[in-house]
């Protein structure tokens, strides 16, 4: 369908415009070892909250949580007869979203189909070339801007007058308008519209209701393999601690959520903010009602801070080891040392916190010697859980640029860019089979050691929910035995 025939593009937006935001089903493509939870799509929930404020009729379809096939997803979209359909895409799901767009176009030929997310932000031309049935790409943080774009289109404003959009002109060429900034004041946003989500579907392995939380956006790290700074920038933007705690209290009261996972990329970057947040949790007594976990860096923690987090209800910290070889760490732009790794995991253990370690295997600089160093450091740091990933050159990252310059080829099939399941690079020193075999062997050596199994059993005993932990353990064991391993810990690019 040509853009020029769409009601929105022509300034004929219907009254009570219905907007449906969709996240595709991808959970089955990653197996579950270190983590077994599917979290809510908070990005869509933030946009939905603003759309509701602006008077749009909004709904969210979380096909991931509902376990819907692509055809079931398209049929569910069609039954709601939305005027606007928005899909969120990352690199391994962009082709899936393109397929969904084509299915929806057949069922709803007059709808406006929009794609957003990290991959469309970084690669808008590639996205539109893959998604022939999509009308528009909205780039960057679109919490409020998506509603503004729909309002502007409804008034008949031209696409090239809008901020941060990519589209095809009358001749089919992709045009992109400038994107000037990000959502600076996170406190100005309404709470995510969780009432539009199937909150009963988000549960942890012990059956406790779970949700994710945003405490900040942005990450000052410059890891070469990460695309977070392209989506959210290098500058950290924290929410007011009282706002975060109030939202957690509301989730507990409204949805029964008692476990919270902070999706901030480096939770403890602003030490003063963490102190204020923890003190606020303790002040209102939330630490007696809920538990929470976070992701951070080994060079951004200390014993006093970790102890305070523990007293405020934190039960787990997730930190990147990435490599046990200092040369590889430096090449990845991690900015940490192997000594800091051992120190940080030791401090967390002393504070009584469970730990999860991230390992990033087979970067271009990886050698047999560096792998040996990584294995040694992993067992010295001694985390409770492990997520071992394959180094993946996501589009737009420094890693991807370096691979291209070095002549290192990567798969053209973006659906394979799931860093948990297999390599996509043609490594200069290792075959694909060697990489898969090492990966599986490392996970087996870690998870089948008596120490790790005993810790998992103790966690089950503390929770009193043996059935849920048994299911998680079975899923993890099967993935290790079959060679598929991973979790949904860190976001893909």
């Amino acid at each position: 369908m040509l853009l020029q025939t769409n009601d929105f593009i022509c300034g004929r937006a219907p009254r009570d415009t219905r907007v449906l935001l969709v996240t595709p089903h991808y959970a089955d493509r990653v197996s579950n070892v270190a983590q077994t939870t599917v979290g809510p799509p908070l990005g869509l929930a933030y946009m939905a909250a603003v759309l509701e404020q602006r008077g749009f009729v909004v709904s969210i379809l979380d096909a991931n949580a509902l376990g819907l096939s692509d055809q079931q997803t398209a049929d569910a979209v069609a039954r709601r007869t939305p005027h606007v359909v928005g899909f969120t895409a990352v690199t391994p799901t962009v082709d899936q979203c393109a397929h969904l767009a084509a299915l929806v176009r057949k069922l709803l030929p007059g709808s406006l189909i929009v794609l957003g997310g990290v991959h469309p932000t970084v690669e808008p031309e590639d996205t539109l070339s893959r998604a022939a049935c999509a009308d528009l790409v909205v780039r960057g943080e679109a919490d409020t801007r998506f509603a503004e774009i729909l309002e502007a289109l409804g008034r008949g404003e031209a696409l090239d007058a809008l901020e941060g959009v990519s589209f095809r002109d009358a001749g089919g060429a992709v045009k992109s308008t400038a994107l000037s900034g990000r959502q600076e004041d996170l406190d100005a946003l309404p709470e995510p519209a969780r009432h539009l989500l199937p909150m009963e579907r988000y549960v942890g392995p012990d059956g406790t209701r779970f949700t994710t939380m945003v405490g900040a956006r942005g990450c000052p790290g410059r890891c070469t393999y990460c695309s977070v700074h392209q989506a959210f920038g290098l500058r950290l933007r924290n929410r007011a601690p009282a706002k975060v705690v109030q939202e957690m209290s509301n989730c507990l009261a409204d949805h029964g959520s008692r476990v919270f996972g902070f999706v901030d990329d480096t939770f403890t970057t602003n030490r003063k903010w963490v102190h204020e947040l923890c003190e606020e949790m303790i002040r209102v007594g939330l630490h007696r009602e809920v538990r929470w976990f976070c992701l951070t860096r080994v060079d951004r923690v200390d014993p006093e801070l970790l102890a305070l987090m523990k007293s405020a209800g934190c039960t787990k910290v997730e930190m990147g080891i990435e490599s046990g070889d200092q040369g590889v760490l430096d090449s990845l732009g991690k900015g940490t040392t192997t000594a800091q790794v051992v120190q940080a995991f030791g401090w967390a253990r002393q504070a009584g916190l469970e730990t999860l370690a991230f390992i990033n295997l087979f970067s271009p600089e990886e050698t047999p010697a560096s792998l040996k160093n990584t294995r040694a450091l992993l067992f010295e740091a001694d985390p409770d859980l492990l997520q071992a990933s394959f180094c993946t050159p996501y589009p737009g990252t420094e890693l991807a640029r370096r691979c291209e310059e070095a002549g290192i080829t990567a798969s053209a099939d973006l659906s394979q860019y799931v860093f948990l399941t297999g390599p996509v690079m043609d490594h200069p020193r290792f075959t694909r089979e060697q990489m898969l075999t090492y990966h599986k062997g490392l996970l087996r050596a870690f998870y089948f050691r008596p120490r790790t199994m005993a810790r998992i059993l103790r966690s089950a005993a503390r929770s009193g929910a043996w059935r849920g932990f048994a299911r998680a353990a079975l899923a993890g064991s099967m993935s290790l035995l079959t060679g598929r391993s991973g979790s949904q810990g860190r976001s893909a690019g």
Side-chain angles (χ1 to χ4, degrees):
M1 185 188 88
L2 294 176
L3 276 174
Q4 285 74 11
T5 67
N6 187 281
D7 282 344
F8 267 89
I9 305 302
C10 297
R12 297 191 300 269
R15 289 173 177 254
D16 299 322
T17 298
R18 295 184 296 277
V19 181
L20 175 58
L21 305 175
V22 184
T23 187
H25 179 211
Y26 59 83
D28 288 349
R29 292 163 53 192
V30 294
S31 49
N32 301 288
V33 175
Q35 296 168 334
T36 57
T37 53
V38 173
L42 277 195
L44 297 187
Y46 269 113
M47 282 196 295
V50 175
L51 286 163
E52 282 189 325
Q53 284 186 338
R54 300 292 183 94
F56 291 89
V57 180
V58 192
S59 57
I60 301 175
L61 178 61
D62 187 356
N64 198 39
L66 299 174
L68 303 181
S69 68
D70 286 353
Q71 187 60 59
Q72 289 172 326
T73 300
D75 291 341
V77 170
R79 284 194 296 272
R80 302 190 192 192
T81 62
H83 302 107
V84 180
V85 184
F87 293 99
T88 181
V90 291
T91 298
T93 64
V94 66
D95 284 330
Q96 181 183 10
C97 287
H99 176 60
L100 284 166
L103 294 175
V104 169
R105 176 63 74 217
K106 290 179 182 179
L107 297 170
L108 298 171
S111 62
L112 178 72
I113 298 179
V114 184
L115 266 64
V118 179
H119 188 90
T121 294
V122 176
E123 298 284 342
E125 291 190 14
D126 174 77
T127 299
L128 287 172
S129 70
R130 293 172 183 274
C133 290
D135 297 305
L136 192 66
V137 160
V138 175
R139 308 192 315 277
E141 297 178 45
D143 309 276
T144 60
R145 198 157 41 83
F146 187 47
E148 293 167 357
I149 288 169
L150 295 184
E151 290 171 341
L153 291 176
R155 294 192 297 268
E157 294 186 24
L159 286 169
D160 57 11
L162 306 178
E163 180 183 348
V165 298
S166 299
F167 57 94
R168 303 179 195 87
D169 65 14
V174 174
K175 304 292 185 183
S176 294
T177 63
L179 179 60
S180 62
R182 296 181 168 87
Q183 180 67 41
E184 292 299 323
D185 185 4
L186 300 183
D187 290 331
L189 296 174
E191 290 187 12
R194 289 185 175 88
H195 60 281
L196 301 178
L197 292 168
M199 293 297 290
E200 73 283 353
R201 295 274 183 155
Y202 310 119
V203 295
D206 62 354
T208 304
R209 289 200 178 186
F210 158 82
T211 190
T212 48
M213 286 290 300
V214 172
R217 290 182 187 171
C219 179
R222 295 182 180 271
C223 304
T224 64
Y225 52 85
C226 186
S227 57
V228 166
H229 67 274
Q230 296 177 75
F232 298 113
L234 293 167
R235 190 172 64 80
L236 196 68
R237 293 160 286 150
N238 285 103
R239 297 175 61 195
K243 287 261 190 180
V244 176
V245 172
Q246 183 61 58
E247 183 179 330
M248 295 172 72
S249 298
N250 292 343
C251 286
L252 174 62
D254 298 340
H255 307 292
S257 302
R258 291 186 177 274
V259 179
F260 295 83
F262 281 90
V263 296
D264 308 25
D265 292 283
T266 311
F267 182 79
T268 59
T269 296
N270 185 336
R271 195 176 186 279
K272 179 176 180 291
W273 177 84
V274 177
H275 264 265
E276 293 175 355
L277 178 68
C278 291
E279 289 166 358
E280 179 67 8
M281 289 181 184
I282 294 169
R283 186 188 70 81
V284 303
L286 190 65
H287 64 301
R288 293 190 291 267
E289 302 288 337
V290 306
R291 61 186 191 269
W292 53 276
F293 60 92
C294 64
L295 168 69
T296 191
R297 289 169 56 98
V298 297
D299 61 346
R300 295 287 183 174
V301 294
D302 59 69
E304 189 269 340
L305 184 64
L306 291 168
L308 177 60
M309 290 165 58
K310 171 69 174 178
S311 66
C314 182
T315 57
K316 181 176 66 173
V317 289
E318 303 175 353
M319 297 182 285
I321 293 177
E322 312 307 354
S323 176
D325 186 275
Q326 193 60 53
V328 172
L329 276 176
D330 294 342
S331 71
L332 293 174
K334 188 66 182 176
T336 58
T337 67
T338 57
Q340 288 172 327
V341 168
V342 177
Q343 187 178 59
F345 279 89
W347 286 339
R349 189 161 46 250
Q350 291 169 11
L353 293 168
E354 188 179 64
T355 55
L356 182 148
F358 300 113
I359 295 288
N360 198 351
L361 298 169
F362 300 109
S363 67
E365 293 77 18
E366 197 82 88
T367 65
S370 67
L371 287 176
K372 184 178 179 180
N373 292 339
T374 296
R375 184 185 178 104
L377 183 63
L378 169 65
F379 286 100
E380 183 181 1
D382 193 27
D384 298 295
L385 300 168
L386 168 66
Q387 177 180 290
S389 306
F390 294 91
C391 193
T392 303
Y394 287 103
T397 61
E398 176 68 13
L399 175 64
R401 185 189 66 79
R402 290 183 183 179
C403 285
E404 185 177 1
E405 290 179 352
I408 298 173
T409 58
S411 173
D413 182 1
L414 296 186
S415 69
Q416 299 302 308
Y417 282 56
V418 181
F419 55 77
L420 306 165
T421 56
V424 298
M425 285 192 297
D426 293 327
H427 202 280
R429 282 173 290 280
F430 300 95
T431 67
R432 177 178 176 82
E433 188 59 35
Q434 286 174 327
M435 290 188 280
L436 289 169
T437 299
Y438 182 87
H439 180 260
K440 181 169 64 174
L442 181 65
L443 286 167
R444 284 178 173 175
F446 180 84
Y447 277 103
F448 290 160
R449 62 179 184 158
R451 179 180 298 183
T452 301
M453 296 176 74
R455 287 172 176 171
I456 292 173
L457 289 173
R458 283 197 297 271
S459 292
R462 284 195 300 269
S463 74
W466 287 95
R467 184 176 298 176
F469 272 95
R471 286 196 300 268
L474 178 61
S477 299
M478 290 301 295
S479 65
L480 290 176
L481 292 172
T482 58
R484 295 181 67 235
S485 54
S487 69
Q488 296 173 169
R490 291 183 288 187
S491 60

